[in-house]
Amino acid sequence: SQTIHQWPATLVQPVGSPLSLECTVEGTSNPNLYWYRQAAGRGLQLLFYSVGIGQISSEVPQNLSASRPQDRQFILSSKKLLLSDSGFYLCAWSVPDGGIAGELFFGEGSRLTVL
Amino acid sequence: EDKVVQSPLSLVVHEGDTVTLNCSYEVTNFRSLLWYKQEKKAPTFLFMLTSSGIEKKSGRLSSILDKKELFSILNITATQTGDSAIYLCAVDGGAQKLVFGQGTRLTINP
């Protein structure tokens, strides 16, 4: 069966510090991978998605970046965090099907607080 | 740009009530509409709707899609405190990504 792991679960970082959130998927090949951010109690904002190794689509211009160094690994990074980067970050995957996103399967999320 | 709007944003009812959550969308190349429930961390999948007028049902939850009027509703009957959650609506516009609405925070009071 497929599983998704996301870490760290919680982190508190000072403004200006770097960030690295990691997500890995097991039990499937060539998944579509996604990073979403959720403000407190609200909907999900798509940040990045990837349909293959090295292929990253950015939805929101900001000081975050994403990379996919391996087929089932997706990393969200920042060189210098801003206060506005605080939030709940969710990684997700789906089975690609001819351009259709399909059902997304989510990780447990990473809660980031920037002070 | 694809857009999803949910209403109400917040709803508080008593246990046993029936609730209806709304989701309207604007999308260039509609493929499907999905509902998720988020209690604490990871959203969990409820329904995927692709055809108009066909109700999907799971226990006390049901959902239907109207592709002409571009909306969907999620009904929950005989609500329980365990139904308290954020309910998320998302649309697949064929670009290999889901666009989510703002969510509806549902609170069920005993």
Side-chain angles (χ1 to χ4, degrees), chain A:
Chain A
S1 64
Q2 300 90 354
T3 56
I4 178 170
H5 303 282
Q6 184 181 342
W7 70 93
T10 306
L11 66 166
V12 180
Q13 297 284 102
V15 169
S17 64
L19 171 74
S20 181
L21 302 179
E22 190 164 340
C23 172
T24 59
V25 180
E26 296 176 358
T28 188
S29 296
N30 195 32
N32 287 346
L33 295 171
Y34 306 84
W35 279 110
Y36 284 88
R37 179 169 61 198
Q38 185 175 32
R42 300 302 351 145
L44 306 185
Q45 178 189 35
L46 180 62
L47 301 176
F48 301 95
Y49 69 99
S50 171
V51 300
I53 296 175
Q55 300 179 58
I56 308 294
S57 296
S58 174
E59 291 293 301
V60 182
Q62 56 204 332
N63 70 320
L64 299 173
S65 62
S67 62
R68 185 171 178 172
Q70 300 180 44
D71 180 45
R72 290 169 288 177
Q73 182 184 29
F74 206 23
I75 298 171
L76 183 69
S77 304
S78 174
K79 292 183 179 178
K80 288 185 178 182
L81 284 169
L82 306 173
L83 288 174
S84 58
D85 292 323
S86 294
F88 189 54
Y89 290 81
L90 285 159
C91 180
W93 70 275
S94 71
V95 177
D97 181 14
I100 297 174
E103 178 185 347
L104 295 191
F105 301 90
F106 287 88
E108 289 297 300
S110 299
R111 188 164 304 280
L112 170 65
T113 303
V114 183
L115 301 176

Side-chain angles (χ1 to χ4, degrees), chain B residues 22-110:
Chain B
N22 304 293
C23 176
S24 63
Y25 62 90
E26 295 175 21
V27 61
T28 306
N29 187 19
F30 179 88
R31 300 297 184 96
S32 65
L33 184 145
L34 297 89
W35 285 97
Y36 284 82
K37 177 183 181 182
Q38 185 183 25
E39 293 182 75
K40 290 186 178 178
K41 295 185 176 180
T44 55
F45 172 77
L46 294 175
F47 300 111
M48 178 187 287
L49 304 156
T50 56
S51 301
S52 277
I54 298 176
E55 184 183 54
K56 292 253 180 143
K57 197 170 172 67
S58 176
R60 297 175 294 102
L61 278 67
S62 64
S63 183
I64 198 161
L65 174 68
D66 186 326
K67 291 169 72 174
K68 182 179 178 183
E69 300 297 330
L70 307 183
F71 77 91
S72 173
I73 60 172
L74 175 68
N75 277 323
I76 308 176
T77 60
T79 53
Q80 302 171 358
T81 54
D83 295 326
S84 294
I86 296 174
Y87 289 84
L88 299 164
C89 174
V91 170
D92 184 344
Q96 304 213 50
K97 60 183 180 180
L98 294 187
V99 177
F100 282 81
Q102 320 95 299
T104 294
R105 178 181 288 277
L106 176 64
T107 303
I108 311 296
N109 288 326

